[in-house]
Amino acid sequence: MEYPKLYEPGQLNLLFNKREFFICIAQGIYTSVVLFFVPYAILSDATQSTGVPLADYQTFAVTTATALVIVVSVQIALDTGFWTIINHVFVWGSLGTYFTIMFALHSQTLFRIFPNQFHFVGRSTLLQPVVWLTIALATAICIVPVLAFRFLKLDLKPQLSDTLVRQKRRKPVGRSVGGPWRGVGSVSEGRLGARGGSRRSGYAFAHQEGFGELITSGKNMRLSSLALATFASRHSSSWIDTLRRKNKNVHTPPSTSGECSPAPSCLSGSVPPLSNSSSVVGGSQDTPIEEETAAAPAQTAPGSSSEAAAPQGPAGGLNPTAVRAPGGDSPGGWTLSLGTVQVSSSWFYSCSNNKTVTQHTITLFSVDDLI
Amino acid sequence: MVKQEQELDNRPDNTAFTQQRLPAWQPMLSAGIVIPGFVLIGLAFIGIGVALFVTSRSIQVLEIDYTGVAQDSPCYRCSDPDTKNCVCTMDFSIDTLFKGPVFFYYGLTNYFQNYRRYGASKDASQLSGDLEYFKNPSSDCSPYQYDNDKPIVPCGSIANSMFNDTFKLYQIVNGARKQVPLDGKGIAWWTDYNVKYRNPSVTPLRNAFNGTVKPVFWSRPAYELDPTDPANNGFINQDFLVWMRRAALPNFRKLYRRITEGDYAEGLPAGNYSLEIAYNYPVLSFDGEKKVVFSNVSWMGGKNEFLGIAYLVIGSLCIVMSIVMLIVYAKFKFPEED
């Protein structure tokens, strides 16, 4: 139960629905076509080095069957993400069993006893280099597209389980030990930047410390400690980076002084849930992202983490470039289109003389849809 | 207390296997493995493809169609199903030395030896020399099982439809015909000749065939298939074995002879040749064609352009894919470059 979000794909039927099924069927048809026509095309003209033609029924059948078994085994090996000794035994064992049974069925002894049932094939078929070249070619044609698709999918559209595996790899946690993933002070820009290559992550850790220490140390923010969670977007890391950068740089007074003094209590407008977009950060703008929880900023509101209610009241325009329409729809520049992510962050600023640094942190996100 | 023990009894064992703690290897499709892997595969395939293509290019093939469909073909008059024992002659010429050893094939098109009922129509016990089955051929062979209540040996459609055209090759030297020696030994699979097909151990062989008849289509019984070589008779006749090895595809070639001896050990020199054909096999009823193919071989067999080209194509596709993946990976690894 460490990562509850991992259960989502199952509940939402994301991994096996009609579309996935048809993709599977399509791959099956493609593989079948390749496995027949490649030996067909090659063996129709092929001969052994002794000149004897290879286009006979048994050679064709043995080539196709062997190619089939090998392609299927390789496909299974690709699908297996967790190789225990049992997996090894069954995958390599099935290959070995195929060859054993083939040699046994087509051996001389069985043929002598039951000549009408066991047609003696002899082993000469599998000794021909052309046969093995055919098998290798058919295997490559079947497997290379699968590999390419998988790799691209892993990079372009990673799933939660993939990102978890990758992150576990990066920080090796004891495999048998659960335990919350500790971001600890190290959850800083630096680390996010390092992880940023992966621009992925989409899970909420209610129990994670997150950016707490960074914030409490007041390096670039003056905030009370608030639980933070990672942000479900492709550019989360850079989003946070820009966030931090903006915070450092923004010293301009808020445009409307009137709004400068939002007491925590007044931050209780209601902000409609945002629609998410992956280009958040983009932020294109200088608009610092904001969303605030009116709830007393000073507190950590992790308790209510998982379901952030609709983020609440924008604090008027601390935002110099007032791109956002207060109250109205999503604050300017900040649309997240990844499903509906309701983000609530807390404002914290001290409004002295209208010269403040707006500081925001994100308290928590609940991610409804990761993909 | 007891209840607790009962509960404890039902617990699964605390072993690595039952608690899913087995040591495991968790491979991941990381870029560092996939992209170099693709490049390696691509390069290997391109290398093999080049070797195969170059080898295939150096192989010479000569095909001569002698069905006799066209009226001006020398074998046109033989294609009439009513003529028997027709002999026709096809002339051809070779421009450059046809390097030896030269292999002489006969080819058929539109001939489905892979048809299921046809392929099952034989008696393997009979063909392995079991005299029991000489008297009672297997019912798989029907309708070629009994002929006027006499058992047919060898029974079945495959044996019955054995190819019976014969060929003689002459080189025209100074206006005179010089026969090219054709070698018919060892053209069948070694396992067919030595294991799968055995003659009944009766000497002389013809006695084993008492009380049986030859297949309907044959002109000579099995024990007289080769008058010149007494060892090449019965079920281990090389031509018979070559025919019995069913082809998988409707357009196939089967080895007939080799040209390896005498003056032609180095190959067929350039010049004019004349092929004398004893045209016996009727193919026009099913729109089939007959042809003769001369070919030489290399380490990878005969001419096979598809193999070389396919390897080259797949190799280059792999390289292209790896470049694409590299671009995608690099682009998404560093989304915003400051």
Side-chain angles (χ1 to χ4, degrees):
Chain A
M1 291 309 295
E2 187 185 325
Y3 304 109
K5 281 297 166 187
L6 282 175
Y7 290 97
E8 241 187 34
Q11 288 177 340
L12 294 177
N13 214 22
L14 292 172
L15 292 175
F16 192 75
N17 45 30
K18 284 201 201 91
R19 179 168 167 264
E20 294 296 320
F21 179 72
F22 282 115
I23 291 178
C24 268
I25 296 280
Q27 189 199 348
I29 292 176
Y30 167 75
T31 304
S32 313
V33 165
V34 164
L35 280 177
F36 178 76
F37 282 104
V38 166
Y40 173 95
I42 294 180
L43 292 179
S44 57
D45 277 337
T47 62
Q48 301 182 8
S49 50
T50 58
V52 176
L54 275 178
D56 63 277
Y57 203 85
Q58 271 142 350
T59 309
F60 190 74
V62 166
T63 308
T64 308
T66 309
L68 169 75
V69 168
I70 291 181
V71 164
V72 168
S73 296
V74 171
Q75 179 75 39
I76 289 181
L78 270 184
D79 274 335
T80 307
F82 201 76
W83 285 81
T84 60
I85 186 70
I86 302 175
N87 291 84
H88 279 290
V89 162
F90 275 96
V91 172
W92 309 124
S94 84
L95 267 181
T97 311
Y98 167 75
F99 284 107
T100 309
I101 292 185
M102 189 173 71
F103 289 145
L105 275 183
H106 294 145
S107 64
Q108 285 195 28
T109 29
L110 273 178
F111 171 72
R112 293 239 163 85
I113 304 172
F114 301 108
N116 266 334
Q117 271 67 44
F118 294 98
H119 307 284
F120 179 66
V121 172
R123 270 164 244 143
S124 54
T125 312
L126 285 181
L127 293 177
Q128 299 303 315
V130 174
V131 165
W132 283 106
L133 285 173
T134 311
I135 294 173
L137 183 69
T139 309
I141 297 181
C142 290
I143 298 290
V144 157
V146 171
L147 258 184
F149 279 143
R150 291 229 175 146
F151 178 74
L152 287 173
K153 198 161 158 222
L154 210 57
D155 259 4
L156 297 175
K157 271 209 217 173
Q159 297 203 345
L160 174 56
S161 42
D162 301 323
T163 65
L164 278 183
V165 171
R166 281 196 190 199
Q167 283 170 351
K168 274 208 162 148
R169 275 230 160 162
R170 289 201 193 157
K171 310 168 285 81
V173 182
R175 207 174 10 88
S176 51
V177 175
W181 178 54
R182 296 254 154 227
V184 198
S186 53
V187 178
S188 60
E189 321 167 7
R191 213 175 58 88
L192 283 176
R195 200 163 46 95
S198 62
R199 85 237 175 250
R200 56 186 82 105
S201 64
Y203 37 89
F205 298 122
H207 48 268
Q208 185 210 347
E209 272 185 4
F211 307 116
E213 282 204 28
L214 167 71
I215 296 157
T216 49
S217 67
K219 268 194 196 170
N220 56 350
M221 297 186 183
R222 276 189 277 151
L223 282 175
S224 59
S225 63
L226 291 165
L228 267 177
T230 57
F231 182 57
S233 101
R234 285 191 192 174
H235 306 276
S236 61
S237 55
S238 40
W239 174 82
I240 301 230
D241 288 308
T242 35
L243 184 56
R244 303 211 190 295
R245 257 181 283 124
K246 301 302 186 290
N247 283 339
K248 277 192 214 164
N249 299 336
V250 173
H251 289 279
T252 61
S255 47
T256 54
S257 54
E259 296 158 291
C260 172
S261 60
S265 54
C266 97
L267 298 182
S268 46
S270 58
V271 166
L274 303 173
S275 55
N276 312 334
S277 84
S278 54
S279 58
V280 161
V281 195
S284 22
Q285 304 85 2
D286 286 348
T287 52
I289 308 101
E290 353 12 13
E291 268 238 351
E292 11 351 313
T293 44
Q299 69 207 339
T300 48
S304 53
S305 40
S306 318
E307 326 92 37
Q312 309 178 9
L318 273 193
N319 159 8
T321 55
V323 172
R324 39 177 277 213
D329 49 351
S330 48
W334 195 31
T335 51
L336 312 165
S337 63
L338 280 182
T340 58
V341 169
Q342 300 167 354
V343 178
S344 50
S345 63
S346 68
W347 278 102
F348 214 65
Y349 51 88
S350 63
C351 189
S352 56
N353 301 333
N354 294 347
K355 290 187 173 99
T356 57
V357 174
T358 57
Q359 301 152 0
H360 355 253
T361 59
I362 300 165
T363 51
L364 53 79
F365 311 82
S366 71
V367 180
D368 290 351
D369 195 348
L370 294 176
I371 295 175
Chain B
M1 191 52 191
V2 175
K3 214 166 166 193
Q4 202 179 13
E5 277 183 16
Q6 275 176 348
E7 282 171 19
L8 289 178
D9 274 344
N10 288 336
R11 271 199 212 164
D13 306 331
N14 189 17
T15 64
F17 178 69
T18 53
Q19 296 299 327
Q20 298 192 9
R21 283 198 309 263
L22 286 174
W25 170 51
Q26 273 186 294
M28 257 184 48
L29 279 184
S30 65
I33 294 181
V34 172
I35 295 180
F38 265 58
V39 171
L40 271 174
I41 294 178
L43 288 177
F45 272 47
I46 288 182
I48 298 178
V50 164
L52 288 171
F53 188 70
V54 165
T55 312
S56 174
R57 272 292 162 121
S58 68
I59 292 175
Q60 299 161 290
V61 170
L62 174 63
E63 264 187 33
I64 303 165
D65 184 316
Y66 70 93
T67 320
V69 176
Q71 290 212 345
D72 56 352
S73 161
C75 291
Y76 175 66
R77 58 184 179 82
C78 290
S79 57
D80 186 358
D82 293 329
T83 52
K84 305 270 179 242
N85 301 324
C86 181
V87 174
C88 62
T89 310
M90 302 279 295
D91 295 315
F92 61 96
S93 66
I94 299 180
D95 299 327
T96 56
L97 171 71
F98 206 104
K99 289 200 207 60
V102 179
F103 291 84
F104 188 136
Y105 302 88
Y106 62 87
L108 289 165
T109 64
N110 208 27
Y111 197 107
F112 289 86
Q113 271 201 321
N114 51 9
Y115 185 64
R116 170 87 189 131
R117 294 277 306 271
Y118 176 94
S121 172
K122 67 180 198 177
D123 186 350
S125 310
Q126 200 183 73
L127 294 168
S128 64
D130 192 340
L131 283 168
E132 270 292 317
Y133 291 87
F134 273 46
K135 299 187 187 52
N136 303 308
S138 150
S139 57
D140 287 337
C141 289
S142 59
Y144 299 100
Q145 192 185 1
Y146 291 100
D147 182 17
N148 293 334
D149 295 330
K150 289 192 145 192
I152 299 179
V153 175
C155 75
S157 304
I158 315 182
N160 187 55
S161 59
M162 183 170 139
F163 188 76
N164 53 6
D165 282 1
T166 53
F167 307 94
K168 289 200 185 85
L169 183 63
Y170 299 96
Q171 185 186 8
I172 314 286
V173 178
N174 301 331
R177 294 203 317 180
K178 177 180 168 197
Q179 182 157 26
V180 178
L182 300 175
D183 174 24
K185 290 201 185 48
I187 54 175
W189 283 29
W190 185 92
T191 49
D192 281 355
Y193 184 74
N194 290 92
V195 180
K196 193 166 179 185
Y197 295 85
R198 306 263 80 212
N199 276 334
S201 46
V202 173
T203 46
L205 188 57
R206 60 166 44 222
N207 291 349
F209 289 79
N210 285 339
T212 70
V213 286
K214 62 174 178 58
V216 175
F217 180 67
W218 287 18
S219 56
R220 288 190 298 229
Y223 52 86
E224 275 178 4
L225 278 174
D226 189 354
T228 59
D229 183 356
N232 196 25
N233 281 311
F235 300 139
I236 55 173
N237 175 276
Q238 295 279 341
D239 290 320
F240 178 71
L241 291 177
V242 165
W243 183 255
M244 290 300 285
R245 181 143 286 281
R246 281 194 298 147
L249 301 167
N251 306 328
F252 58 86
R253 296 188 298 193
K254 286 185 185 283
L255 187 56
Y256 180 70
R257 295 286 187 266
R258 287 199 203 89
I259 301 171
T260 52
E261 299 165 341
D263 296 336
Y264 303 95
E266 295 299 314
L268 291 176
N272 293 325
Y273 290 83
S274 162
L275 181 67
E276 194 180 283
I277 304 163
Y279 194 115
N280 298 318
Y281 205 70
V283 295
L284 287 174
S285 54
F286 53 86
D287 289 330
E289 286 168 10
K290 297 193 283 186
K291 54 183 175 240
V292 159
V293 180
F294 295 91
S295 168
N296 43 24
V297 296
S298 64
W299 60 271
M300 56 160 262
K303 199 175 189 69
N304 204 340
E305 305 236 325
F306 180 82
L307 198 55
I309 294 175
Y311 265 85
L312 281 173
V313 166
I314 299 296
S316 19
L317 272 180
C318 276
I319 302 268
V320 165
M321 279 305 312
S322 72
I323 294 178
V324 165
M325 290 199 294
L326 194 62
I327 293 176
V328 165
Y329 175 71
K331 191 164 172 211
F332 280 89
K333 187 173 167 57
F334 310 106
E336 290 101 25
E337 309 260 340
D338 292 9

